[in-house]
């Protein structure tokens, strides 16, 4: 069965410092990987998807099939990045997302 | 374009009752999925509907059911409520499936079972 693991429940960094959120997955097929973000009192929003290989709000994520990882990185964290981040995997068929447990990021001034 | 709309935002029910939650997807989206979010279990997939047919189902008991109408609006129903059903229920919609169809989430319905 597919699984998504986010080993850190909480990441606390200072403003301007780099931040990296880890995500590892297990899936026998060819997955689609996503990062979703939930700011305080807001809905879950799509941040990045591996297929688009883009940078959003300074965040990037690279799919490493050899290590089955999809880590999220930002070189200089901002206070507005404080939020809950979820890594998610979509199977080849359908729209079922399997989510990791989430990582809360706190960016201190 | 309006986002995914879920009603009601909050619900308080008693054990043994049943409840119906509603979701209106983004205009043009044909796939609607439902998720349960709890502090202990995180985000868990309930089921997905596409063109009025259930396409995928998670590992939840039969008390959890859903349906989709011809206008793509969806409802989920939970019968014989248990205390453990207290959660935030999220609905997500997408165009179809595949790399150009990411899921967009609503604000959720917070269900409290007493």
């Amino acid at each position: 069965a597919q699984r998504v693991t986010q080993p850190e429940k909480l990441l606390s960094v200072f403003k301007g410092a780099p931040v990296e959120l880890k995500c590892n997955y297990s899936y026998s097929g060819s997955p689609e990987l996503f990062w979703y973000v939930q700011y305080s009192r807001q809905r879950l929003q799509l941040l990045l998807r591996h297929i688009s290989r883009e940078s959003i709000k300074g965040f990037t994520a690279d799919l490493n099939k050899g290590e089955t990882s999809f880590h999220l990185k930002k070189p200089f964290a901002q206070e507005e990045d404080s939020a809950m981040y979820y890594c998610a995997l979509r199977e080849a068929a359908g729209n079922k997302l399997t989510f990791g447990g989430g990582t809360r990021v706190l960016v201190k001034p | 374009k309006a986002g995914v709309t879920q009603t009601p935002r909050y619900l308080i029910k008693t054990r043994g009752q049943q409840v119906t939650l509603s979701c209106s997807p983004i205009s043009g989206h044909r796939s609607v999925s439902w998720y349960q979010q709890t502090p202990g279990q995180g985000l868990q997939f309930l089921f997905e509907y596409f063109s009025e047919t259930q396409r995928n189902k998670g590992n939840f008991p039969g008390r959890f059911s859903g349906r989709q109408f011809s206008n793509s609006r969806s409802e989920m129903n939970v019968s014989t409520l248990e205390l453990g059903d207290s959660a935030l229920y999220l609905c997500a919609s997408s165009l179809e499936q595949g790399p150009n169809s990411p899921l967009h989430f609503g604000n959720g319905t917070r269900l409290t079972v007493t």
Side-chain angles (χ1 to χ4, degrees):
Chain A
Q2 63 278 7
R3 183 184 296 178
V4 178
T5 304
Q6 293 179 248
E8 306 114 342
K9 285 193 185 306
L10 173 66
L11 270 181
S12 184
V13 300
F14 285 102
K15 177 182 171 182
V19 61
E20 181 179 23
L21 287 72
K22 291 186 167 45
C23 172
N24 289 91
Y25 68 91
S26 63
Y27 181 59
S28 56
S30 185
E32 273 188 85
L33 275 298
F34 302 85
W35 278 99
Y36 279 84
V37 60
Q38 191 167 33
Y39 300 103
S40 179
R41 287 187 286 276
Q42 293 188 27
R43 67 182 65 195
L44 203 56
Q45 304 171 32
L46 177 66
L47 179 62
L48 280 178
R49 40 185 171 154
H50 89 269
I51 199 79
S52 57
R53 302 179 69 83
E54 58 197 341
S55 173
I56 303 290
K57 298 184 180 183
F59 285 97
T60 59
D62 289 316
L63 178 60
N64 186 323
K65 291 186 177 180
E67 296 183 359
T68 59
S69 68
F70 188 54
H71 302 328
L72 182 69
K73 302 175 186 179
K74 184 168 183 176
F76 307 104
Q78 303 299 313
E79 288 182 67
E80 55 265 30
D81 296 327
S82 294
M84 195 74 179
Y85 291 80
Y86 293 95
C87 181
L89 176 156
R90 180 162 67 180
E91 299 171 22
N95 277 317
K96 174 185 176 181
L97 287 180
T98 299
F99 284 90
T103 298
R104 181 169 298 282
V105 171
L106 177 62
V107 181
K108 297 177 284 188
Chain B
K1 232 181 209 183
V4 177
T5 305
Q6 292 187 245
T7 56
R9 289 296 306 275
Y10 302 93
L11 266 178
I12 300 176
K13 290 286 187 179
T14 306
R15 268 182 303 176
Q17 288 186 314
Q18 75 159 14
V19 67
T20 300
L21 282 56
S22 180
C23 172
S24 293
I26 291 172
S27 178
H29 285 195
R30 297 163 62 192
S31 166
V32 174
S33 308
W34 289 88
Y35 292 81
Q36 183 195 64
Q37 186 175 25
T38 60
Q41 300 297 318
L43 282 151
Q44 292 186 286
F45 172 78
L46 279 156
F47 28 65
E48 182 209 356
Y49 287 86
F50 182 80
S51 293
E52 301 179 65
T53 302
Q54 187 180 86
R55 187 158 68 174
N56 217 333
K57 190 176 190 309
N59 296 323
F60 279 81
R63 300 185 297 107
F64 291 81
S65 63
R67 59 178 175 169
Q68 186 180 33
F69 302 96
S70 57
N71 62 357
S72 293
R73 191 177 70 84
S74 177
E75 289 181 347
M76 70 162 277
N77 185 277
V78 188
S79 63
T80 320
L81 284 165
E82 301 177 359
L83 294 179
D85 297 333
S86 294
L88 181 66
Y89 290 88
L90 296 175
C91 170
S93 75
S94 73
L95 275 169
E96 293 189 6
Q97 68 178 71
N100 293 318
S101 300
L103 273 67
H104 300 268
F105 285 83
N107 282 315
T109 293
R110 184 164 296 281
L111 172 65
T112 303
V113 182
T114 62

